[in-house]
């Protein structure tokens, strides 16, 4: 899948931009799935009197416009993960066949294999990102999946168990990502070690280590992807356009190595050594997350991030 030159660029610069990684049929399936799921949520809101109209005849974006304007919690029911805290037995999330097919897409796994080897685990640090125009985002909204994303390294949002884990992030654009709508920015040629991070409104690299003047904007069309090394500093600006920017963060790690969030379920996405261990059933994937939700909602809270504000670097 990747050329020798692409592999060398990734190892040196810490990122790759790959156009046309995911085909239009796969993107259309994800869009249709999300529209169907959100219509059910929207109709429940209508039944409860939270919105004036039903979802009938509305497209996905129109329903999102109304949800944002009504200050309703639309993000978590569409996310492919559990939140960092406050997990209950009925915390909503979305796990469906189209998203599972995206995560296990052969071309996506080919890229992961070229960088990690043939034993690949789907790491549970994963999210959908549906970013509204910034002027529609409430000031109280601090989640990086909804508004601008602070500078960080992906290793910085794992727990210490994964500090030596081989992993890559595949950031897949469902809509075009450009400067106006807040595409990813990366600082190339990452360091050999992790920078200190601080627990601000988001987990953020300490200011002294951010070299924003070296940042590169990674514009990419729908279906394209940005591949990110776990030590590459990256961020995403606010969405200054009038439309939504939609992407998925999908992470893979070398099988047998800690994922950095072991309280969430992983699965074998590809294995040359034991192909029978690969997961191909989206319902089993969903059930593993439902089981994790039940367990975590009845257990002591497990932090997803390691940082506190005691370091002088965070002052």
């Amino acid at each position: 899948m990747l050329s020798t030159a692409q592999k060398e660029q990734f190892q040196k610069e810490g990122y790759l931009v790959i156009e046309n990684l995911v085909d239009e049929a796969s993107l259309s399936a994800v869009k249709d799935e999300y529209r169907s799921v959100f219509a059910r949520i929207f109709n429940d809101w209508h039944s409860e009197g939270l919105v004036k109209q039903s979802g009938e005849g509305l497209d996905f974006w129109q329903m999102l416009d109304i949800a944002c304007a009504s200050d309703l919690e639309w993000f978590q029911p569409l996310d492919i993960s559990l939140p960092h805290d406050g997990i209950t037995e009925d915390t909503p999330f979305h796990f469906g066949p189209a998203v599972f097919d995206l995560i296990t897409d052969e071309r996506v796994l080919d890229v992961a294999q070229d960088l990690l080897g043939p034993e690949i685990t789907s790491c549970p640090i994963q999210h959908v990102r549906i970013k509204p125009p910034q002027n529609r985002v409430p000031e109280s909204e601090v989640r990086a999946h909804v508004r601008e994303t602070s500078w960080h390294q992906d290793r910085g949002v794992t727990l210490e168990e994964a500090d030596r884990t081989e992993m890559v992030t595949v950031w897949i654009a469902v809509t075009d990502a450009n400067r106006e709508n807040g595409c990813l920015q990366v600082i190339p040629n990452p360091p050999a070690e992790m920078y200190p991070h601080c627990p601000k409104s988001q987990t953020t690299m300490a200011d002294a280590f951010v070299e924003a003047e070296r940042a590169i904007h990674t514009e990419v069309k729908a279906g394209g992807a940005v591949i990110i090394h776990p030590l590459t500093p990256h961020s995403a600006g606010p969405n200054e356009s009038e439309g939504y920017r939609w992407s998925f963060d999908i992470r893979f790690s070398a099988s047998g190595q800690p994922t950095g969030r072991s309280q969430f379920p992983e699965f074998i996405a590809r294995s040359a050594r034991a192909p029978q261990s690969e997961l191909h059933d989206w319902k089993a994937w969903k059930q593993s997350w439902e089981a994790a939700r039940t367990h975590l909602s009845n257990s002591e809270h497990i932090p997803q991030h390691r940082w506190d504000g005691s370091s002088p670097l965070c002052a």
Side-chain angles (χ1 to χ4, degrees):
M1 176 69 192
L2 296 179
S3 67
T4 299
Q6 287 176 310
K7 293 177 187 177
E8 290 175 349
Q9 178 191 336
F10 183 79
Q11 294 304 323
K12 178 183 178 182
E13 299 186 4
Y15 79 101
L16 282 174
V17 177
I18 303 176
E19 296 286 3
N20 302 312
L21 181 63
V22 177
D23 63 32
E24 181 55 40
S26 297
L27 293 184
S28 293
V30 168
K31 292 174 185 176
D32 289 345
E33 183 170 284
Y34 265 73
R35 197 273 167 198
S36 177
V37 168
F38 199 38
R40 291 197 295 271
I41 296 167
F42 199 89
N43 286 335
D44 287 344
W45 288 339
H46 176 60
S47 298
E48 296 166 12
L50 299 175
V51 294
K52 294 181 179 179
Q53 63 190 110
S54 73
E56 185 175 353
L58 299 178
D59 65 23
F60 182 67
W61 307 119
Q62 290 169 324
M63 289 187 288
L64 270 178
D65 279 341
I66 295 170
C68 289
S70 303
D71 199 22
L72 294 169
E73 176 46 66
W74 56 267
F75 173 76
Q76 183 56 49
L78 300 178
D79 198 17
I80 55 173
S81 185
L82 287 162
H84 65 88
D85 61 11
I87 297 170
T88 67
E89 291 192 11
D90 59 358
T91 295
F93 50 50
H94 172 63
F95 290 85
V99 175
F100 182 76
D101 287 347
L102 182 68
I103 291 176
T104 57
D105 183 278
E106 289 298 318
R107 285 171 56 85
V108 171
L109 292 178
D110 286 346
V111 170
Q113 179 169 330
D114 283 345
L115 299 174
L116 296 174
E119 306 300 321
I120 304 169
T121 286
S122 174
C123 177
I125 305 177
Q126 57 189 29
H127 293 284
V128 68
R129 294 180 186 267
I130 303 175
K131 300 204 174 189
Q134 187 69 15
N135 57 17
R136 300 181 207 172
V137 178
E139 287 296 324
S140 59
E141 177 60 77
V142 298
R143 289 172 293 188
H145 323 305
V146 179
R147 61 180 308 129
E148 69 271 19
T149 306
S150 300
W151 285 104
H152 67 284
Q153 297 162 295
D154 281 344
R155 185 155 287 159
V157 296
T158 67
L159 298 179
E160 292 92 331
E161 64 180 25
D163 279 355
R164 293 292 174 247
T165 293
E166 300 168 89
M167 60 175 59
V168 294
T169 297
V170 182
W171 188 97
I172 298 173
V174 179
T175 58
D176 293 352
N178 51 49
R179 293 191 184 209
E180 184 183 16
N181 66 18
C183 67
L184 283 181
Q185 302 176 65
V186 301
I187 299 175
N189 308 108
E193 298 294 336
M194 182 172 49
Y195 290 135
H197 287 60
C198 301
K200 300 182 180 180
S201 59
Q202 302 168 14
T203 299
T204 305
M205 279 169 45
D207 292 344
F209 296 91
V210 177
E211 300 177 276
E213 69 280 359
R214 294 205 299 114
I216 294 172
H217 289 81
T218 60
E219 296 184 307
V220 65
K221 297 289 187 182
V226 184
I227 318 300
I228 308 169
H229 188 281
L231 291 173
T232 299
H234 58 286
S235 70
N239 179 1
E240 302 292 0
S241 76
E242 288 303 312
Y244 292 83
R245 200 210 73 194
W246 185 357
S247 64
F248 285 91
D249 285 355
I250 298 170
R251 195 166 303 184
F252 300 98
S253 54
S255 295
Q257 299 179 8
T259 65
R261 204 161 292 173
S262 58
Q263 68 269 37
F264 289 174
E266 62 193 72
F267 68 86
I268 302 298
R270 178 175 285 180
S271 175
R273 182 173 59 241
Q276 71 278 8
S277 67
E278 297 173 1
L279 184 67
H280 298 288
D281 182 354
W282 75 269
K283 292 181 180 178
W285 178 55
K286 178 183 179 183
Q287 289 165 0
S288 69
W289 279 86
E290 290 171 340
R293 176 178 62 186
T294 298
H295 172 71
L296 293 169
S297 67
N298 293 286
S299 304
E300 184 177 347
H301 173 63
I302 301 173
Q304 291 186 20
H305 302 141
R306 68 181 80 180
W307 310 98
D308 62 40
S310 62
S311 169
L313 293 166
C314 297

